[in-house]
Amino acid sequence: MDSQISQPSQPSRPGPVSPAASAPHTFQVDLRGLVDLLSHHLYSSPKVYLRELLQNAVDAITARRADQPDAPATVRLHTGDGELRVTDSGIGLTEPEVHQLLATIGRSSKREDGLQAARADFLGQFGIGLLACFVVAGRIRVVSRSARTPDAAPVEWTATDDGSYTVRTLPAEAHPEPGTTVHLVARAGAADWLTGERVLSLARDFGTLLPYDVRVDGEAVTELPAPWDRPHSSPAARRVALARHCHDLFGFTPLDSIVLDVPLAGVRGVAYVLPTAVSPAQRASHRVHLKGMLLTERAEQLLPDWAFFVRCVLDTDSLRPTASRESLYEDDTLAGVREALGERIRSWLTGLAAQDPERLAAFLSVHHLGVKSLARHDSEMLRTMLPWLPFETTDGRLSLEEFAQRHPVVHFTRTVEEYRQVAPIASAQGIGVVNGGYTYDSDLVEALPSVRPGTAVAELDSDTVTAHLDAVDPAEELALSGFLTAARAALDPLDCDVALRAFHPLSVPALHLDDRTARHEQARAEAEEQADDLWAGILGSLRGSAPRARLVLNHLNPLVRRIATLGEAELIGTAVESLYGQALLRAQRPLRPADSALLNRAFLGLLEWATHTDTPEGGAR
């Protein structure tokens, strides 16, 4: 018999029809257009055709074993001459079921015959079925024999990509055992997808964890039990075996492996710790199998955002796939699994801290940023990691615990620039400072008292640093008032004050100090100068009374002392501008255009002064 994929259907209940009403019509489906939609929009690659074939075969075996627990469970794939043949020992189909299930778009056999309650045992959910095979095949032939109705003759269903199909019954010897055989004939340009090498590669990619015996041209595909469930002689041997699996799967040798087990959610797998640091903003991609079948290699929402330092591979029977079966559906179950897997990774970290400090130190040397991200929101994790997390401090690279033991007050800066300004001077004055300018560091320092009661934490600003510097004797400062007046006049256009203090180390002639408020006001003033009248008025209204930046001259430094003895105001100004530029460079601050111009002007001014002559004979002054 010759039929069309789209068959007209009768209305379920006749009703009154107005004289103007026409008879109901069914939608007509353009199969080629639908296949184009599947291949270009629903599926990421034509390779999913093999997943659909394996899925149908596995589901058919599962259905048969629900009635016959001892039934054979085999899937055999054979390739050659641009064709593929897939045979399973599953439940099979009768002729009515062929019409009903293979030729009706959107219908799934899992909805029939009371199997709805057993849906958890099946892979498929959406009834797209063999349509995906038209992505690579121009003709599909299915020969099936029902295990439920042993007396029924085998039935053959043949369909082409123009939307037509034929159904006929065959003699019993055409398919003597229950099950189904699917024949694919490649469409033009798609023969490569049906070669033995390609089919074997895809089958192993999709079906390594399938629960039944799958073979391609005689070569085994399934490898059970899963790598994380295999027995090993020792924890070290297990670690080596999992590292080998990670290298084969992801291409890297992990720092460590974390077994993931969430029994209530039906999740088993392993997380591999990356051997190199990655950006927290980089979305990690994980491999997820659904009841043994690979669902996706790019699951991004599987773990909490802070766990960006691992790559996972796992198998689940509870998470819902999207319609394409290439990603996970975001629902309460996935949220619960994500939280449970995060807890498992957190437990691994605390276990390392208690039992294997060397491995923990190796991990933190690479991934301290991820742990800091976790500790920022988890006080228990912060308490556990406190002796281990490294921070940049004026005492070297230390943990907060060790630093707090050395200093009664834990001072910190919020930016790297502020730390670079004050670190050398603060260290010489005995002030302990933590660089809080890196990601999460200032948050963790501020959280320190919550997990270490009695610890004093204070943000270090320019006023605090200046207060720790020794004042100059008033008489000496008064004697240098002319020098200070000339210095202040030179830096006033740069919104910078000048102060005189005595501090160590002696080798530092000047210290540039400011804070975020002063920098904000400086940026506002620059923008006001460059803006048109309208914006200049708006920016002018935002003018604040914030303290200006400050150049602190070191009265103990020999160079500063010599400059202070110069009698020429212009030369003093040039020298102080040079000290200002050197202080900016020491703090590794980005230079504004005005700062760059000042450095250039001061350099040329000093060269001119150094080479200036007073006598016709050219003698140096």
Side-chain angles (χ1 to χ4, degrees):
M1 63 187 73
D2 191 14
S3 306
Q4 292 294 319
I5 292 289
S6 179
Q7 300 287 339
S9 60
Q10 299 300 322
S12 59
R13 177 183 296 178
V17 179
S18 65
S22 62
H25 298 279
T26 58
F27 288 101
Q28 299 299 308
V29 177
D30 179 351
L31 186 58
R32 287 176 176 170
L34 183 58
V35 169
D36 182 73
L37 178 67
L38 293 176
S39 61
H40 291 93
H41 299 282
L42 183 63
Y43 294 134
S44 62
S45 166
K47 69 181 182 181
V48 297
Y49 88 91
L50 193 68
R51 184 193 65 196
E52 294 293 338
L53 288 174
L54 291 175
Q55 175 181 288
N56 287 344
V58 169
D59 283 347
I61 294 172
T62 300
R64 183 177 180 185
R65 285 202 154 189
D67 296 334
Q68 305 171 22
D70 296 330
T74 62
V75 181
R76 298 291 182 261
L77 295 87
H78 302 277
T79 63
D81 299 326
E83 298 186 10
L84 171 64
R85 186 174 78 256
V86 182
T87 300
D88 67 67
S89 59
I91 193 68
L93 299 172
T94 62
E95 183 178 354
E97 290 171 336
V98 165
H99 283 288
Q100 185 179 26
L101 302 176
L102 296 187
T104 305
I105 297 171
R107 182 181 294 274
S108 170
S109 61
K110 273 70 76 177
R111 298 189 181 95
E112 304 301 320
D113 301 317
L115 291 178
Q116 180 69 27
R119 284 282 292 279
D121 295 330
F122 296 94
L123 298 174
Q125 296 186 43
F126 297 96
I128 294 176
L130 290 176
L131 279 182
C133 295
F134 280 118
V135 173
V136 299
R139 183 166 64 91
I140 302 173
R141 177 172 172 261
V142 178
V143 178
S144 187
R145 184 165 187 171
S146 175
R148 287 202 188 101
T149 313
D151 296 335
V155 60
E156 177 192 70
W157 176 87
T158 304
T160 58
D161 60 4
D162 64 2
S164 65
Y165 72 91
T166 61
V167 177
R168 63 172 181 157
T169 56
L170 302 176
E173 58 269 20
H175 208 290
E177 297 296 330
T180 300
T181 299
V182 179
H183 302 256
L184 300 187
V185 178
R187 66 191 305 170
D192 183 59
W193 289 102
L194 303 186
T195 61
E197 183 179 359
R198 177 68 68 90
V199 171
L200 178 61
S201 174
L202 293 178
R204 284 178 171 166
D205 198 32
F206 283 119
T208 304
L209 301 183
L210 289 175
Y212 305 132
D213 181 17
V214 181
R215 295 177 183 269
V216 176
D217 295 329
E219 293 196 47
V221 169
T222 50
E223 298 179 5
L224 294 178
W228 48 86
D229 288 330
R230 295 170 190 168
H232 297 281
S233 59
S234 67
R238 180 186 185 85
R239 203 155 42 238
V240 170
L242 289 177
R244 188 181 304 114
H245 173 251
C246 175
H247 188 273
D248 293 341
L249 196 63
F250 292 116
F252 66 85
T253 300
L255 286 177
D256 206 349
S257 53
I258 310 166
V259 174
L260 304 175
D261 187 6
V262 187
L264 293 179
V267 173
R268 287 280 295 168
V270 61
Y272 293 115
V273 181
L274 292 167
T276 55
V278 294
S279 167
Q282 179 179 331
R283 299 291 294 180
S285 296
H286 311 288
R287 288 176 62 96
V288 177
H289 296 254
L290 180 62
K291 307 178 186 72
M293 181 74 73
L294 179 66
L295 180 70
T296 178
E297 300 173 279
R298 300 184 298 274
E300 295 183 347
Q301 70 273 48
L302 188 65
L303 295 180
D305 290 342
W306 56 260
F308 54 82
F309 50 83
V310 298
R311 294 291 181 272
C312 291
V313 53
L314 55 82
D315 187 30
T316 175
D317 59 17
S318 64
L319 298 179
R320 290 176 56 195
T322 58
S324 66
R325 291 194 286 278
E326 294 187 307
S327 59
L328 296 172
Y329 187 83
E330 185 69 49
D331 58 10
D332 291 342
T333 302
L334 179 57
V337 167
R338 181 163 50 235
E339 182 177 350
L341 295 179
E343 181 59 36
R344 181 64 191 87
I345 296 173
R346 182 188 288 108
S347 298
W348 168 78
L349 281 172
T350 56
L352 282 187
Q355 303 169 11
D356 201 338
E358 289 186 3
R359 283 172 63 204
L360 177 64
F363 166 76
L364 289 178
S365 68
V366 178
H367 295 299
H368 58 275
L369 196 58
V371 179
K372 287 179 177 180
S373 173
L374 174 58
R376 185 173 56 130
H377 301 292
D378 189 326
S379 59
E380 188 58 38
M381 179 57 65
L382 177 58
R383 185 178 291 105
T384 301
M385 293 291 109
L386 202 58
W388 308 103
L389 287 174
F391 288 78
E392 182 180 357
T393 77
T394 49
D395 291 353
R397 198 159 180 82
L398 301 174
S399 70
L400 286 182
E401 174 67 28
E402 187 175 359
F403 188 82
Q405 290 174 357
R406 298 185 181 187
H407 299 277
V409 178
V410 178
H411 289 97
F412 72 98
T413 62
R414 291 194 181 275
T415 68
V416 175
E417 290 78 8
E418 290 173 354
Y419 177 80
R420 289 171 178 167
Q421 287 179 36
V422 304
I425 309 305
S427 179
Q429 307 306 311
I431 306 173
V433 185
V434 177
N435 184 356
Y438 296 113
T439 306
Y440 309 131
D441 283 8
S442 61
D443 292 338
L444 293 176
V445 175
E446 289 184 295
L448 189 56
S450 67
V451 297
R452 197 177 189 276
T455 303
V457 172
E459 183 176 355
L460 188 68
D461 56 22
S462 59
D463 289 338
T464 304
V465 175
T466 305
H468 280 78
L469 304 180
D470 294 334
V472 177
D473 181 86
E476 290 189 55
E477 186 167 2
L478 181 61
L480 297 175
S481 59
F483 160 70
L484 293 175
T485 298
R488 287 166 182 152
L491 297 186
D492 185 68
L494 297 172
D495 290 325
C496 183
D497 291 331
V498 176
L500 187 65
R501 295 289 187 275
F503 56 87
H504 293 273
L506 300 179
S507 58
V508 177
L511 175 65
H512 182 271
L513 294 176
D514 64 1
D515 54 27
R516 291 186 305 279
T517 306
R519 287 197 294 274
H520 174 76
E521 175 61 21
Q522 196 173 59
R524 185 210 59 77
E526 290 179 0
E528 181 181 355
E529 290 179 3
Q530 300 173 8
D532 57 29
D533 293 342
L534 175 60
W535 280 109
I538 294 174
L539 292 171
S541 67
L542 299 176
R543 183 180 295 112
S545 58
R548 304 201 301 174
R550 188 178 310 156
L551 184 70
V552 182
L553 301 176
N554 188 0
H555 187 53
L556 301 180
N557 180 267
L559 176 60
V560 172
R561 286 179 172 271
R562 286 197 296 272
I563 294 174
T565 62
L566 296 174
E568 187 178 337
E570 183 178 352
L571 182 57
I572 291 175
T574 300
V576 170
E577 286 178 341
S578 299
L579 292 177
Y580 172 85
Q582 190 265 352
L584 285 180
L585 295 175
R586 176 184 289 273
Q588 301 183 45
R589 288 279 308 281
L591 299 180
R592 301 171 297 162
D595 297 330
S596 299
L598 174 142
L599 280 172
N600 185 59
R601 183 175 65 251
F603 176 72
L604 294 177
L606 289 177
L607 283 179
E608 183 180 351
W609 176 80
T611 59
H612 183 70
T613 59
D614 284 334
T615 64
E617 292 78 10
R621 181 175 64 182

